Amino acid sequence: MRQAHFISAAIAAVAFATTAMAAPVPDSGYYITQDKSGIVKLEPCGSNICGVLVWGQDLKDGETDQANPNPARRSRPICGMAVLQFARSGDNASAYDPATGKTERGFAVTGDASKLVLGGSEGETWPKTSQPSPRCR
């Protein structure tokens, strides 16, 4: 099974990122990953903001989280999964990569009306985009 790889580059980039300066943090909208392989929808999730995967370039219908280190989670669908989570302040962000089963933690998220920036100046920029059609199932 070919795994989706849309978050891999973000995790690699934020692993070496510096803390970002305070800036407005987007809390809604659709953002395409820097390598254009995935689209996440930002939405509130409890007291945080989550980036839910709504489209993946290589994502197969019904593909599950087979790389997850927790066997109990390997049957959950990748489509609709929260792959990004951060405090409303933009602090304490985490990104999960379903292709590798790895989570990167402790970076900042900033941005504006046109982009989402993960990990500050050494991180990744995800441009705002429109809702994908078709969305993954």
Side-chain angles (χ1 to χ4, degrees), residues 1-6 53 55-64 77-79 136-137:
M1 173 187 294
R2 192 167 154 186
Q3 289 287 334
H5 64 278
F6 31 82
L53 182 67
W55 179 82
Q57 183 176 26
D58 297 327
L59 188 62
K60 308 275 188 274
D61 286 346
E63 190 168 354
T64 58
I78 293 174
C79 182
C136 63
R137 301 186 253 296

Side-chain angles (χ1 to χ4, degrees), residues 70-88:
N70 181 342
R73 294 184 176 176
R74 291 180 185 156
S75 62
R76 67 182 181 164
I78 293 174
C79 182
M81 178 185 295
V83 294
L84 178 66
Q85 184 173 337
F86 54 92
R88 291 181 185 272

